[in-house]
């Protein structure tokens, strides 16, 4: 009589397939794979945030075209952002690893340039991710203080409280530090939170889309011709360039979708879940965001200067439409959702830094590349990214334009990190083979459009908000971005100790010729030699 071993469950087969693919890429499984497909989508969608994100950057679209910029600028930018997401999704499907962007860059670039390009992408991704934390949490601090200002309104409608830069920075630092504490929790807790974030995000968007037109008094309601066709340029730039500058609102809102990539090693069926999470989050955000902007354009009145002159433009629109109590009730939910965005961004940024430290590229990598034995999460990189973000917040003391530069900084830095691996796929010496998510014959046109779009907008977003800017009005994004990248290159080329002498790209933590159980496999040296296809719902893996 023989006893048969029990058949593995679907989840066990899928988990083994994920671990085998990760081992083929050169890394051992260090995280627990607790993120389902919905939760993998949730981290990208929750970081996008929509309504609170639009609230944070409405000061970009209103002066640069008003309603026309809000409605049509959003539609145009969303389409190009979707191209970027689809191109990134193909790379994520072929090689789902937390290193993501710089890992792909090294695997797909020509041998002569792969080390330096991977180094640049890794640092640009680190700066972009930390800047995204700073911009999200600064937006949250501004929203908290805007609520305090609304609450201080006297009987005549005058504010009796206006936050100082020091008070804003204090609120900002508290938000960042509490996010650090949350993101030190176990992976299972962080994964379950994403479903909550998605549900609350969607409900908030739908509530505002429906409630705002219903509650707005007639004196603040606009005609269709105004909402769709009025172009109000308050920036001082020529109309065409002002309209393009208004793209910064959707670009910042629908950004940091590489967050799903950075939890690849914690996601189930990552080669399928991650690319669909990226493209799905961008598409849904594009549609819902357009509806939100349309509702705002119809319900914000025509006095744009008073709106943009208020401490928080969207808070002023809600105050006009809902009154003090109604505005505070909705605003409280917006602050909560913005706070959730920040915690998701810290989670993604810490994983990216962990992966970069795993390959020895960050300062103090031996300290950063540590997994906490109790929580099973990289606690050190959580505090590293949050500490860096707090330092960026010090720009607040140089003026509002200086701190607002973190919004442009996050987009430009991330676009550098996005564009290089997408371009390397076609310019480098490789034999890339796609994973389960593939655009087929549309891959090259999509990548071409994506890279040109990111190059163009990366330059545009370094311009100041108005021509002839002085020291206080300049765009500090270029100072922080290029200052950081120059320092990273100095370290790379530094004599004797610089990265050029020891950095060789991703460092395998397992033998690529061994499976997760140590079984021999075909020797496969890079991402472009690996293709995994998940067949049906049985979770089985087969090589193509």
């Amino acid at each position: 009589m023989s006893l048969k071993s029990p058949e593995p469950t679907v989840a066990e087969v899928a988990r083994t397939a994920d671990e085998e693919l990760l081992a083929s890429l050169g890394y051992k499984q260090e995280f627990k794979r607790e993120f389902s497909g919905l939760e993998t989508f949730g981290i990208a969608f929750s970081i996008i945030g929509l309504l609170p994100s639009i609230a944070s950057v409405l000061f970009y679209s209103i002066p640069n075209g008003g309603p026309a910029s809000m409605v049509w600028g959003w539609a145009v930018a969303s389409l190009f952002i979707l191209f970027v997401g689809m191109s990134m999704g193909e790379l994520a499907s072929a090689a789902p690893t937390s290193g993501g962007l710089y890992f792909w860059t090294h695997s797909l670039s020509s041998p002569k340039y792969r080390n330096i390009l991977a180094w640049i992408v890794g640092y640009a991704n680190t700066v972009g991710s930390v800047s995204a934390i700073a911009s999200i949490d600064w937006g949250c601090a501004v929203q908290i203080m805007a609520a305090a200002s609304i609450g201080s309104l006297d009987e005549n409608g005058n504010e009796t409280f206006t936050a100082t830069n020091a008070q804003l920075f204090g609120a900002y630092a508290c938000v960042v530090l509490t996010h650090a504490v949350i993101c030190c929790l176990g992976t299972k807790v962080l994964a379950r939170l994403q479903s909550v974030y998605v549900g609350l995000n969607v409900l908030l968007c739908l509530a505002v889309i429906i409630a705002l037109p219903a509650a707005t008094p007639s004196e603040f309601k606009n005609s269709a011709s105004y909402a769709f066709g009025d172009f109000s340029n308050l920036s001082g730039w020529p109309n065409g360039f002002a309209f393009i500058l208004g793209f910064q609102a959707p670009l910042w809102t629908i950004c940091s979708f590489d967050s799903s990539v950075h939890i690849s090693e914690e996601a189930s069926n990552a080669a399928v879940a991650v690319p669909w999470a990226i493209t799905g989050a961008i598409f849904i955000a594009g549609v819902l965001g357009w509806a939100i902007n349309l509702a705002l354009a119809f319900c914000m009145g025509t006095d744009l200067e008073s709106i943009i002159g208020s401490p928080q433009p969207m808070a002023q629109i809600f105050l006009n439409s809902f009154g003090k109590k109604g505005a505070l009730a909705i605003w409280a939910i917006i602050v909560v959702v913005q706070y959730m965005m920040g915690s998701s961004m810290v989670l993604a940024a810490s994983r990216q830094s962990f992966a970069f430290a795993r390959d020895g590229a960050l300062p103090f990598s031996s300290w950063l590349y540590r997994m906490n034995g109790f929580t099973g999460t990289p606690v050190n990189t959580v505090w590293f990214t949050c500490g860096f973000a707090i330092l960026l917040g010090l720009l607040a003391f140089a003026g509002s334009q200086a701190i607002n530069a973190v919004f442009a900084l996050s987009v430009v830095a991330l676009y550098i990190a996005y564009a290089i691996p997408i371009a390397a796929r076609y310019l480098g010496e490789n034999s890339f083979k796609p994973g389960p998510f593939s655009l087929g014959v549309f891959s090259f046109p999509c990548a071409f459009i994506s890279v040109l779009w990111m190059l163009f907008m990366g330059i545009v977003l370094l311009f100041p908000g108005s021509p002839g800017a002085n020291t206080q009005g300049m765009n500090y994004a270029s100072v922080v971005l290029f200052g950081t990248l120059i320092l990273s290159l100095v370290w790379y080329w530094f004599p004797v100790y610089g990265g050029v002498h020891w950095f060789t790209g991703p460092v395998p933590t397992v033998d690529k010729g061994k499976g997760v159980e140590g079984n021999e496999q075909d020797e496969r040296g890079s991402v472009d030699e690996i293709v995994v296809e998940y067949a049906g719902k049985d979770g089985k893996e087969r090589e193509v």
Side-chain angles (χ1 to χ4, degrees), residues 207-221 299 317-323 326-327 330:
V208 170
I209 291 169
I210 296 169
L212 187 61
T216 302
S218 58
E219 62 264 31
F220 292 109
K221 286 187 176 179
C299 302
I317 295 173
F318 284 177
L319 181 62
N320 295 340
S321 296
F322 297 110
I330 294 179

Side-chain angles (χ1 to χ4, degrees), residues 148-489:
S149 296
I150 294 173
S152 73
L153 290 173
D154 59 22
E155 294 178 355
N156 299 319
N158 298 317
E159 294 177 355
T160 58
F161 171 79
T162 301
T164 64
N165 282 342
Q167 290 169 329
L168 279 167
F169 179 78
Y172 167 76
C174 289
V175 170
V176 176
L177 291 174
T178 55
H179 282 155
V181 173
I182 291 172
C183 290
C184 289
L185 299 175
T187 301
K188 180 176 287 188
V189 176
L190 297 172
R192 300 300 92 84
L193 285 173
Q194 303 310 313
S195 298
V196 178
Y197 295 173
V198 170
L200 193 56
N201 244 314
V202 173
L203 289 175
L204 178 61
C205 292
L206 294 177
V208 170
I209 291 169
I210 296 169
L212 187 61
T216 302
S218 58
E219 62 264 31
F220 292 109
K221 286 187 176 179
N222 298 321
S223 64
S225 60
Y226 181 85
F228 284 104
D230 183 79
F231 189 89
S232 300
N233 183 2
L234 307 178
S235 69
W237 289 108
N239 287 348
F241 190 69
F243 181 73
I244 294 172
L245 277 178
F247 288 166
Q248 183 159 337
L251 259 63
W252 183 81
T253 301
I254 313 178
C255 196
S256 299
F257 40 80
D258 60 308
S259 54
S260 293
V261 174
H262 300 312
I263 62 159
S264 293
E265 296 175 31
E266 299 167 77
S268 299
N269 199 3
V272 175
V274 172
W276 282 109
I278 294 170
T279 53
I282 294 172
F283 179 78
I284 294 173
V287 173
L288 280 178
W290 188 81
I292 291 170
N293 277 281
L294 191 59
L296 291 172
F298 270 102
C299 302
M300 67 182 183
T302 58
D303 189 359
L304 301 185
E305 290 188 2
S306 66
I307 293 174
I308 204 66
S310 65
Q312 220 296 336
M314 187 177 283
Q316 185 62 48
I317 295 173
F318 284 177
L319 181 62
N320 295 340
S321 296
F322 297 110
K324 179 178 176 179
K325 291 183 179 179
L328 280 174
I330 294 179
W331 201 249
I333 302 173
I334 289 177
V335 171
V336 170
V337 174
Q338 179 90 0
Y339 184 85
M340 292 175 174
M341 289 169 56
S343 68
S344 294
M345 191 63 238
V346 171
L347 171 63
S350 66
R351 275 33 175 188
Q352 187 276 331
S353 296
F354 176 83
F356 206 30
R358 178 170 58 188
D359 297 320
L362 285 174
F364 313 109
S365 285
S366 60
W367 177 76
L368 292 173
Y369 177 45
R370 290 182 184 177
M371 192 72 72
N372 185 276
F374 180 72
T375 64
T377 55
V379 169
N380 291 357
T381 54
V382 169
W383 288 102
F384 166 76
T385 53
C386 288
F388 192 177
I390 289 176
L391 290 177
L392 281 178
L394 294 173
L395 285 170
F397 296 102
S400 60
Q401 289 297 321
I403 185 61
N404 287 340
V406 296
F407 293 90
L409 173 62
S410 62
V411 177
V412 177
L414 287 175
Y415 272 15
I416 292 173
Y418 294 175
I420 292 177
I422 292 173
R425 173 180 170 182
Y426 296 98
L427 299 177
E429 299 174 12
N430 62 77
S431 56
F432 176 84
K433 295 182 179 67
F437 181 91
S438 174
L439 300 177
V441 295
F442 298 103
S443 293
F444 176 74
C446 185
F448 184 75
I449 293 170
S450 299
V451 172
L452 284 184
W453 166 256
M454 289 187 284
L455 177 63
F456 174 66
M457 289 309 305
I459 295 172
V460 168
L461 295 183
L462 295 178
F463 279 76
S466 58
N470 54 20
T471 304
Q472 288 187 329
M474 70 171 286
N475 189 337
Y476 281 81
S478 56
V479 177
V480 178
L481 174 61
F482 293 114
T484 306
L485 291 181
I486 289 171
L487 286 175
S488 72
L489 290 176

Side-chain angles (χ1 to χ4, degrees), residues 479-518:
V479 177
V480 178
L481 174 61
F482 293 114
T484 306
L485 291 181
I486 289 171
L487 286 175
S488 72
L489 290 176
V490 168
W491 185 32
Y492 183 81
W493 294 107
F494 200 80
V496 183
Y497 300 104
V500 69
H501 302 290
W502 50 264
F503 181 73
T504 57
V507 178
T509 56
V510 298
D511 183 352
K512 292 183 183 180
K514 302 284 185 178
V516 292
E517 300 298 335

